[in-house]
Amino acid sequence: VPGSSCWAPDPERAFVEARVEEVRGRLATISVLRQDEAEGGGAQRTCPVDDLFPRSSDQRCTPDMDELQELNMASVLNNLEILFGQKQCSSPGEGPNVIYSSVGPTLIAMNPFVQLPLYGDAWVRAYRDAGIDERRNKELGPHCYRTVQEAWCRLRVVKHQSIVICGESGAGKTVTNRKMIEYICEVARRNAPRPAVGADPE
């Protein structure tokens, strides 16, 4: 619809903010927004209507992307870019976990290629203590610890649980797998009954 906000495909940035100027059949003329002239800001382009995505005026960043007003490829990428650009807090629950976000039960993890203060005893305790408390888990935000804690809790209902970890080479699958295993080993160890005095733990 002419005058509506949209995300338009872009060869360099994947998608750019734009406004629909005119629609003729299956082609739309759009104006690129929020970029300087060197990057094509204000320029008009023509592209297929099917390649455009609706863009909400509310561009707030949220780790829980189910809260986005428009959930599509362009809005997800924009949200991830804004989230990744924020500062990572060193304590759980103090701010967003910048490399983690979620859509429904799916956890999205980005490889920062640097060490971030996202793991350790304090983080394990926070997610273990949260358990299945939705309010507390929302405060803590998406994390590989939260995903594995949810699977751990569901073991009480369904005996077999699985977590599928997928991604391109270098995406961080091995690290995510290792962190999840470390978490569940630590939680299981803390939940294990103490052996009787004088008993052989083996």
Side-chain angles (χ1 to χ4, degrees), residues 132 149 151-159 161 191:
I132 57 173
Q149 176 65 33
W152 172 263
C153 290
R154 285 196 296 266
L155 281 172
R156 300 172 184 174
V157 181
V158 180
K159 184 176 180 181
Q161 296 289 325
N191 288 344

Side-chain angles (χ1 to χ4, degrees), residues 43-60:
Q44 290 195 347
R45 305 177 185 176
T46 300
C47 60
V49 171
D50 291 342
D51 290 348
L52 302 178
F53 289 104
R55 178 173 59 85
S56 169
S57 58
D58 181 5
Q59 294 298 308
R60 62 193 175 93

Side-chain angles (χ1 to χ4, degrees), residues 112-168:
F113 295 99
V114 294
Q115 292 293 330
L116 293 177
L118 268 169
Y119 311 100
D121 288 344
W123 292 81
V124 169
R125 286 195 303 272
Y127 283 93
R128 181 201 62 195
D129 294 345
I132 57 173
D133 184 330
E134 291 186 10
R135 183 189 62 79
R136 182 56 181 151
N137 273 307
K138 186 173 182 61
E139 291 173 353
L140 291 171
H143 196 289
C144 67
Y145 287 172
R146 187 175 85 175
T147 298
V148 73
Q149 176 65 33
E150 289 172 349
W152 172 263
C153 290
R154 285 196 296 266
L155 281 172
R156 300 172 184 174
V157 181
V158 180
K159 184 176 180 181
H160 300 290
Q161 296 289 325
S162 63
I163 297 173
V164 178
I165 302 175
C166 59
E168 296 182 351

Side-chain angles (χ1 to χ4, degrees), residues 160-181:
H160 300 290
Q161 296 289 325
S162 63
I163 297 173
V164 178
I165 302 175
C166 59
E168 296 182 351
S169 177
K173 300 183 298 296
T174 301
V175 172
T176 298
N177 184 57
R178 183 169 68 244
K179 293 300 182 184
M180 286 184 166
I181 291 174

Side-chain angles (χ1 to χ4, degrees), residues 9-45:
D10 183 78
E12 307 236 339
R13 294 179 52 83
F15 296 96
V16 291
E17 295 177 83
R19 181 179 59 249
V20 177
E21 300 294 346
E22 184 181 26
V23 177
R24 289 189 176 182
R26 303 308 301 165
L27 290 178
T29 300
I30 56 99
S31 293
V32 177
L33 307 176
R34 293 191 179 182
Q35 290 180 307
D36 59 37
E37 292 183 3
E39 296 179 328
Q44 290 195 347
R45 305 177 185 176

